[in-house]
Amino acid sequence: MEPQAYKEIWKQVLSDIQKAGYYDSETFDSWISKTELFKIEDGTAFILYPTMITLNILKTEQGISLLRSSLYEVLKEEVSIQFISKQDASKLIPEIKLQQRTQNLMRTDFNEEYTFENFIEGNSNAEAYAACLSCCTQKKHLFNPIMIYGNSGLGKTHLLHAIGNYLKKERPETKVFYSYSGDLVSILLDAMKTKNIHGNAVDQVKSQLIDNDYFLIDDIQNLQQSSSQEVFFTVYNELISRNAQIVITSDMHPSELSGLQSRLISRFNSGLSVNIVKPEFDTSKAILKKKLEGNEEICQINEDVLDYLAHKFSNDVRNLEGSLNKLIFNATLENPDVIDLDFAQRILMKEPIVSSTSELTIKKIKKAVTRFYGLTYKDIEGKSRQKKLMNARQVFIYLSRELLHKAYVSIGQELGNRDHTTISSSYDRAVKLIQTDKNFKMAVDKVKSLLED
């Protein structure tokens, strides 16, 4: 429940208490009105009191009875009462925020469009497809963990969501956890920093992670914080001992992962590692035809255009689908009788082709940003808050997130080990600047063009 909802509930409760006339107006105004509803959890309402005088007034048998009956009138359910001083509550706030973030992380919503049925299978991804489908249908997990590795945009995330959607439909009793590794690292780091007066915050997060039958982690290469790796190692071992199925994706083979502990890499290697490579021509064309389903009335597209797209953009499925989307969008603007090859080449001639030999990395983005602004690595990694340096950092953060989907933790490491919360705030700021500041948007576009050279 949001804080504003608690305020509204308590406003009604205080109004009922005042109307009951049990407390005189001076007592109510001086003491009772200063109370707050902190939270409602497991059938208990936690009420904040500012002073011991207030607590003594509230703790009478009649006072508690009045509170419970007033809360019942608003909530329509019975709750018990627990009083907390405002000083103690301030210690609980980080814990509650962590609980809320953890609950959001555990509340996995799978993309309904990512299913096994609409995954286009070909020679490039057949093994990965078979491994993921098999782990859903077999009760005994023969391969654990399963690691799917390959470049970005080839369908790894699609397969993880397909597992989740299949289990949700066919085995709804199964507990499935899915997370991007950067979000998992962020939660673990926050748990380590949280002073929890009700026990160890890290242990509470771990217990929720372990209580799953399937554990799906996207982009494991971003699990680079040594402290978070310690917690992940414990969780991993517990899950394996409980025969929970672990499925992991990565942009490279486990033996090539840098920044991860050797004992983690060893465990990844003990399972099944399957490579996804760029789709061959036939698979690329099948992906395009699948994408066109349902859009036939919007536009007609020639077969040689599909051949052109399948040849030119097959390095990245997202780029492949994006090129088709761009053609469809421009067709709605120009309204041609049919999308032919001339139309497609004119619209897409400026589109960059991502070459596997010049794969984009966070280091290349950093180099392009420093080149554009005329800075050194030391400049943007430093602490100076000059506007030019701040802009350079925000461009770097934005492009690292947008183009590579890097975790805030990983981006922070590239900027002088800045905290992930600082990086998150800077990214949000960059998104707003792109919409409101023409010069900043121009800088982002210029750096992008440098990356395409």
Side-chain angles (χ1 to χ4, degrees), residues 79-98:
V79 292
S80 58
I81 304 294
Q82 183 169 327
F83 298 106
I84 306 177
S85 71
K86 289 191 175 183
Q87 184 177 3
D88 286 341
S90 65
K91 299 175 185 176
L92 277 171
I93 289 174
E95 176 189 347
I96 290 175
K97 287 183 177 179
L98 176 64

Side-chain angles (χ1 to χ4, degrees), residues 69 139 148:
S69 62
K139 292 184 179 180
I148 312 298

Side-chain angles (χ1 to χ4, degrees), residues 56-75:
N56 290 332
I57 293 172
L58 291 171
K59 281 187 70 174
T60 64
E61 184 177 340
Q62 182 64 28
I64 292 174
S65 176
L66 183 57
L67 283 170
R68 291 186 64 183
S69 62
S70 298
L71 279 164
Y72 180 80
E73 288 298 319
V74 178
L75 300 173

